[in-house]
Every structure is written in structure tokens, then in C-alpha cells.
Amino acid sequence: MESTEAMVTKLGTLHGVGVGPGDPELLTVKAARLIGSAPVVAYLTANGKDSTARDIAKSYIPATAQHLVIDMPMRVEREPGERAYDAGAAAIAAELAQGRDVVMLCEGDPFFYGSFMYLFARLAGHYPCAIVPGVTSMTASAAALRRPLSARNEVVKVLPATLPEDRLREELMTAESAVLIKVGRHLAKVRNVLGLLDLSSRAHVIIKATHEDEVVTPLLDITEDHLPYFSSILVYSGTEAW
């Protein structure tokens, strides 16, 4: 008769794997290895559209891998997204409980404003979890601009453009360099704040960093009121020497 231990299925491990900002060659060796041997690959889609994370990693995904798609309703209200995370976590948990590892593909880095953190919060207390860092859009944007994020004792601030206008202004007033993320439909607000602080000429827009259609341009050259979702603005108010 089999022992109780032998009858218990070993739990699978959830791997949150950063796939970087867009260029497939920016995946780490560890990320490529885990994806290449994954029995189950999970990733988010938005409103049924293609997954950017899957598109970045597609050349590494084995043909035998099962795909677990978590579709997120892109809404201002939190409840639809919370339900999607609950459903996604349940689907992943079902695989882990059967002893199958799940590799969750994450744009950029899993723990840098990444959606993976919400799945991690739901699952880490019950299943083994491991995190593989990835290249962030922030560092990729600095590389695209060919300018360091900071030098010597300068302090870098990372500011979501979703912040209220007064908070953005307050933070930027004391920033020697700043990275504005989640710009998208908040461009008009950001442009207004930078103008009030006389920083518009010191700001550069990076759209889809490291993608084939990457765009790097001064903010003053942007005439639109919105930017694509994968856009960042780098602002330098400190010294230009390093």
C-alpha cells in the first residue's frame, strides 16, 4: 500500500517572469529557460485583445505548453478587475494543485507596477511562488533617450500620471529627475503641470521603448492630447552634466 506521502501530489510553482518592455532579446537567460520548459503559460489580455507579454515571449514558448488566458476588463471601476483576478487566480491554482508549474508572463518587471502582484497576493500564501525580474520600461526609456536617469547624488522619482494634478506638481517641484508612467489619456494634465513648472523643454516622450516602432521625441513636439498606453515621459530638472 502506498504511503500517504506518495499519494499527495507535489504542488506546482507559480513563476512570475518579467519579459521586459518589448524587445524579445531583452529576456534574461533565466526567463527564457523557464518559459521554454513551461507546461502552462499564463498571461493577461485586455478586453479580449492580444497579449503584449505573450507576443514578446512567443518565440520561447514551447508548442506543447498549455495557454491560460486571463482577460481583464479595462474599466475605471475596480470590481470587474478584481473579479477577473479572482477567476485567474482560481484557474492558476487548479494547475498548481495538480503539480503543474505555471509561468506567468509579465511585461517589464513583475513587481514594478505589474498586474502579477494581484495574483501573487491571492496565491503566495498557498502555493510556492518565485519571481524573475525583468527589464523595466523606465530603464529601457533611459537607454532609448541615451541619457542616464540620474547622476551622482541626484534622486529619481517614479510618478504615475494618474496622480491628482496638485500631487504631481508637488512631487515634480522637488524632483531632480522623474519618470512619468501611465501617461496615456492623462497627457493634458501632465503637460499642464510641466508647463507651470517650466519643465516642458526638459521633458522627453518615449513611446513603446525597445519595440520596432519605438518613438523618442521632445514633449514640445507632441501635439496630441493622448499618448499610447506604453508611453513614458522622462523629465530632468537637475544638472545636465554627469
Short mmCIF file of all heavy atoms in Angstrom, two decimals, residues 15-38:
data_model
loop_
_atom_site.label_atom_id
_atom_site.label_comp_id
_atom_site.label_asym_id
_atom_site.label_seq_id
_atom_site.Cartn_x
_atom_site.Cartn_y
_atom_site.Cartn_z
N HIS A 15 5.61 30.88 -11.30
CA HIS A 15 6.76 31.73 -11.63
C HIS A 15 6.25 33.02 -12.26
O HIS A 15 5.64 32.99 -13.34
CB HIS A 15 7.71 31.03 -12.61
CG HIS A 15 8.31 29.78 -12.10
ND1 HIS A 15 9.47 29.75 -11.35
CD2 HIS A 15 7.92 28.48 -12.22
CE1 HIS A 15 9.78 28.50 -11.04
NE2 HIS A 15 8.85 27.71 -11.54
N GLY A 16 6.48 34.15 -11.60
CA GLY A 16 6.19 35.44 -12.21
C GLY A 16 7.42 35.89 -12.97
O GLY A 16 8.44 36.22 -12.39
N VAL A 17 7.33 35.86 -14.30
CA VAL A 17 8.52 36.05 -15.14
C VAL A 17 8.42 37.36 -15.92
O VAL A 17 7.52 37.54 -16.75
CB VAL A 17 8.69 34.87 -16.12
CG1 VAL A 17 9.86 35.12 -17.06
CG2 VAL A 17 8.91 33.58 -15.34
N GLY A 18 9.34 38.27 -15.66
CA GLY A 18 9.40 39.51 -16.43
C GLY A 18 9.95 39.27 -17.81
O GLY A 18 11.02 38.66 -17.96
N VAL A 19 9.24 39.74 -18.83
CA VAL A 19 9.69 39.54 -20.21
C VAL A 19 10.23 40.82 -20.83
O VAL A 19 10.54 40.87 -22.02
CB VAL A 19 8.56 38.96 -21.10
CG1 VAL A 19 8.13 37.61 -20.58
CG2 VAL A 19 7.37 39.92 -21.18
N GLY A 20 10.37 41.88 -20.00
CA GLY A 20 10.94 43.12 -20.50
C GLY A 20 9.93 44.00 -21.22
O GLY A 20 8.75 43.68 -21.31
N PRO A 21 10.40 45.13 -21.75
CA PRO A 21 9.49 46.13 -22.31
C PRO A 21 9.02 45.88 -23.74
O PRO A 21 8.07 46.52 -24.18
CB PRO A 21 10.32 47.41 -22.24
CG PRO A 21 11.73 46.93 -22.40
CD PRO A 21 11.79 45.60 -21.70
N GLY A 22 9.69 45.00 -24.47
CA GLY A 22 9.25 44.79 -25.85
C GLY A 22 10.19 43.98 -26.72
O GLY A 22 9.76 43.11 -27.47
N ASP A 23 11.48 44.25 -26.64
CA ASP A 23 12.46 43.52 -27.44
C ASP A 23 12.64 42.11 -26.86
O ASP A 23 13.07 41.97 -25.72
CB ASP A 23 13.79 44.27 -27.42
CG ASP A 23 14.86 43.63 -28.30
OD1 ASP A 23 14.64 42.49 -28.78
OD2 ASP A 23 15.91 44.26 -28.50
N PRO A 24 12.32 41.06 -27.64
CA PRO A 24 12.44 39.69 -27.11
C PRO A 24 13.86 39.33 -26.68
O PRO A 24 14.04 38.44 -25.84
CB PRO A 24 11.99 38.82 -28.29
CG PRO A 24 11.14 39.71 -29.12
CD PRO A 24 11.74 41.08 -28.99
N GLU A 25 14.86 40.01 -27.22
CA GLU A 25 16.24 39.71 -26.85
C GLU A 25 16.61 40.26 -25.48
O GLU A 25 17.70 39.98 -24.97
CB GLU A 25 17.20 40.25 -27.91
CG GLU A 25 17.09 39.51 -29.24
CD GLU A 25 18.17 39.93 -30.22
OE1 GLU A 25 18.72 41.04 -30.06
OE2 GLU A 25 18.45 39.16 -31.14
N LEU A 26 15.72 41.02 -24.87
CA LEU A 26 15.98 41.56 -23.53
C LEU A 26 15.50 40.64 -22.43
O LEU A 26 15.63 40.97 -21.25
CB LEU A 26 15.33 42.94 -23.37
CG LEU A 26 15.98 44.07 -24.17
CD1 LEU A 26 15.21 45.36 -23.98
CD2 LEU A 26 17.44 44.25 -23.76
N LEU A 27 14.93 39.49 -22.76
CA LEU A 27 14.62 38.50 -21.73
C LEU A 27 15.91 38.00 -21.09
O LEU A 27 16.93 37.86 -21.77
CB LEU A 27 13.86 37.30 -22.33
CG LEU A 27 12.33 37.38 -22.30
CD1 LEU A 27 11.83 38.35 -23.34
CD2 LEU A 27 11.74 36.00 -22.54
N THR A 28 15.86 37.75 -19.79
CA THR A 28 17.02 37.18 -19.14
C THR A 28 17.16 35.70 -19.53
O THR A 28 16.21 35.07 -20.01
CB THR A 28 16.90 37.28 -17.61
OG1 THR A 28 15.77 36.50 -17.18
CG2 THR A 28 16.72 38.72 -17.17
N VAL A 29 18.34 35.16 -19.29
CA VAL A 29 18.57 33.74 -19.57
C VAL A 29 17.62 32.88 -18.74
O VAL A 29 17.05 31.89 -19.23
CB VAL A 29 20.04 33.37 -19.26
CG1 VAL A 29 20.25 31.87 -19.39
CG2 VAL A 29 20.99 34.11 -20.20
N LYS A 30 17.41 33.28 -17.49
CA LYS A 30 16.52 32.51 -16.62
C LYS A 30 15.08 32.56 -17.12
O LYS A 30 14.37 31.55 -17.11
CB LYS A 30 16.59 33.06 -15.20
CG LYS A 30 15.81 32.22 -14.18
CD LYS A 30 16.11 32.66 -12.76
CE LYS A 30 15.45 31.73 -11.75
NZ LYS A 30 15.80 32.10 -10.36
N ALA A 31 14.64 33.74 -17.55
CA ALA A 31 13.28 33.86 -18.08
C ALA A 31 13.09 32.97 -19.29
O ALA A 31 12.09 32.25 -19.41
CB ALA A 31 12.99 35.32 -18.42
N ALA A 32 14.05 32.99 -20.21
CA ALA A 32 13.95 32.17 -21.42
C ALA A 32 13.92 30.69 -21.07
O ALA A 32 13.17 29.91 -21.68
CB ALA A 32 15.12 32.48 -22.35
N ARG A 33 14.73 30.29 -20.09
CA ARG A 33 14.77 28.87 -19.70
C ARG A 33 13.44 28.42 -19.11
O ARG A 33 12.91 27.36 -19.47
CB ARG A 33 15.90 28.64 -18.69
CG ARG A 33 15.94 27.22 -18.13
CD ARG A 33 17.10 27.02 -17.17
NE ARG A 33 17.06 27.89 -16.02
CZ ARG A 33 16.30 27.69 -14.94
NH1 ARG A 33 15.47 26.63 -14.90
NH2 ARG A 33 16.34 28.52 -13.92
N LEU A 34 12.88 29.22 -18.21
CA LEU A 34 11.62 28.84 -17.57
C LEU A 34 10.47 28.81 -18.57
O LEU A 34 9.63 27.91 -18.55
CB LEU A 34 11.31 29.82 -16.44
CG LEU A 34 12.15 29.67 -15.18
CD1 LEU A 34 11.91 30.84 -14.23
CD2 LEU A 34 11.85 28.35 -14.47
N ILE A 35 10.42 29.80 -19.44
CA ILE A 35 9.35 29.82 -20.45
C ILE A 35 9.50 28.63 -21.39
O ILE A 35 8.51 27.97 -21.75
CB ILE A 35 9.39 31.14 -21.24
CG1 ILE A 35 9.09 32.32 -20.32
CG2 ILE A 35 8.38 31.11 -22.39
CD1 ILE A 35 9.34 33.67 -20.94
N GLY A 36 10.73 28.33 -21.76
CA GLY A 36 10.98 27.25 -22.71
C GLY A 36 10.64 25.87 -22.20
O GLY A 36 10.46 24.93 -22.99
N SER A 37 10.52 25.72 -20.89
CA SER A 37 10.19 24.41 -20.31
C SER A 37 8.84 24.42 -19.59
O SER A 37 8.52 23.50 -18.85
CB SER A 37 11.29 23.98 -19.33
OG SER A 37 11.42 24.91 -18.27
N ALA A 38 8.05 25.47 -19.81
CA ALA A 38 6.81 25.63 -19.06
C ALA A 38 5.71 24.69 -19.56
O ALA A 38 5.40 24.69 -20.75
CB ALA A 38 6.33 27.07 -19.16
#
